[in-house]
Amino acid sequence: MIDQIKSSGAPAIFLDASDNAMLAQQIAAETDVKVVTDLHLESLTDGAPAATYIDMMKDNVSKIVDALK
């Protein structure tokens, strides 16, 4: 996986807020990519940032775009 990330030039690893980020952090340390660990992919939140489906999508898109810059 590390070789694929390096050869593809992927700038980030994206995880759901409920995922364990330990492996992603290890990969990031070896590949110098960003890790985004707080996407809401399967559930809404009680209030911000993902109180509604539209809020969830806006928040996720914002985090993804920032990580890809």
Side-chain angles (χ1 to χ4, degrees), residues 1 3 5 9 13 17 21-23 34 38-40 42 50 52 55-58 68:
M1 188 180 309
D3 291 338
I5 290 171
I13 299 170
M22 210 157 69
L23 177 59
K34 299 173 190 172
D38 56 349
L39 296 180
H40 296 278
E42 297 178 1
T52 67
D55 291 340
M56 176 186 71
M57 294 302 290
K58 286 179 180 179
L68 295 177

Side-chain angles (χ1 to χ4, degrees), residues 32-59:
D32 199 32
V33 299
K34 299 173 190 172
V35 178
V36 178
T37 60
D38 56 349
L39 296 180
H40 296 278
L41 305 176
E42 297 178 1
S43 64
L44 299 177
T45 57
D46 187 24
T52 67
Y53 178 79
I54 298 298
D55 291 340
M56 176 186 71
M57 294 302 290
K58 286 179 180 179
D59 186 59

